[in-house]
Amino acid sequence: MSQSMSGAAEGIAIMEMLVYRYDLDRQPLRPLFREADDSEQQIDTYLELGTLFVAEDEGEIIGHLQLIPDNDTAELKSMAVVESRRGAGVGRALVRAALEHCRQNAAKCLLVATAAADTGNLRFYQRQGFRMLSVERDAFVASTGYPSEIIIDGIPLRDRVWLGQDLSGES
């Protein structure tokens, strides 16, 4: 077990990467949270909440996923993978760890929200078994800490799409 895993629960080895629950100070992971969210104001509201999983390779944290429980539902609140490791299965491994954690803790549904403009994220989550639930119009505005000039895939950042995955075994 590496030095950076002290205080962590059991991990899952995937190739050279290890995915585990992270129970240490979250402030050093703020740059990864910034990869997932353009609002420092919003990050400040949830950084210390819920359960955090990280993916580590050769002692370097290369991704994170944050789960926030709410009764029998959990929200995948934040997830990011360092740019150089995107597309290599890190995000899939983090989502698998989150789904397993949710099932072990009797969650019936896992929710995630992402920008409607971020077609890559929408594809990723659907490939992981999430289905569209709703659109929240004008979620990314100045009053919630988002600059107005953000463009993703040529689309202005405005609306949030909610997706869910049923974990109860019912479709």
Side-chain angles (χ1 to χ4, degrees):
M1 198 176 279
S2 72
Q3 188 75 335
S4 63
M5 281 190 55
S6 58
E10 68 181 62
I12 303 166
I14 300 172
M15 293 182 275
E16 297 177 24
M17 178 178 55
L18 186 66
V19 174
Y20 60 91
R21 182 176 169 161
Y22 184 86
D23 293 317
L24 302 174
D25 181 16
R26 295 182 182 187
Q27 288 302 322
L29 300 181
R30 190 174 276 272
L32 263 179
F33 278 80
R34 285 184 191 120
E35 288 288 320
D37 197 330
D38 295 307
S39 172
E40 283 294 325
Q41 178 182 337
Q42 289 299 307
I43 293 169
D44 288 342
T45 67
Y46 63 76
L47 180 66
E48 300 299 332
L49 301 177
T51 302
L52 190 66
F53 291 92
V54 296
E56 182 180 297
D57 189 19
E58 296 182 6
E60 176 189 359
I61 293 177
I62 58 173
H64 84 280
L65 182 147
Q66 179 186 32
L67 284 175
I68 299 177
D70 184 14
N71 296 317
D72 61 356
T73 299
E75 180 184 349
L76 190 168
K77 183 65 177 174
S78 179
M79 184 174 84
V81 174
V82 296
E83 190 171 2
S84 64
R85 298 298 296 268
R86 291 178 191 158
V90 178
R92 283 190 310 273
L94 286 163
V95 170
R96 278 197 305 270
L99 289 167
E100 182 59 30
H101 178 81
C102 287
R103 287 183 182 104
Q104 288 175 357
N105 289 280
K108 293 182 180 170
C109 181
L110 179 57
L111 301 174
V112 65
T114 192
D118 198 333
T119 57
N121 275 351
L122 289 169
R123 266 193 326 269
F124 170 81
Y125 287 120
Q126 290 178 86
R127 287 179 179 151
Q128 306 316 305
F130 289 86
R131 298 193 58 199
M132 303 262 187
L133 296 173
S134 63
V135 175
E136 181 182 348
R137 292 176 59 97
D138 299 317
F140 302 104
V141 295
S143 64
T144 56
Y146 294 93
S148 60
E149 67 276 356
I150 297 176
I151 306 291
I152 302 172
D153 296 333
I155 304 166
L157 177 65
R158 287 189 197 120
D159 303 329
R160 177 181 291 141
V161 176
W162 285 91
L163 301 99
Q165 188 166 147
D166 179 18
L167 304 175
S168 67
E170 304 169 10
S171 291

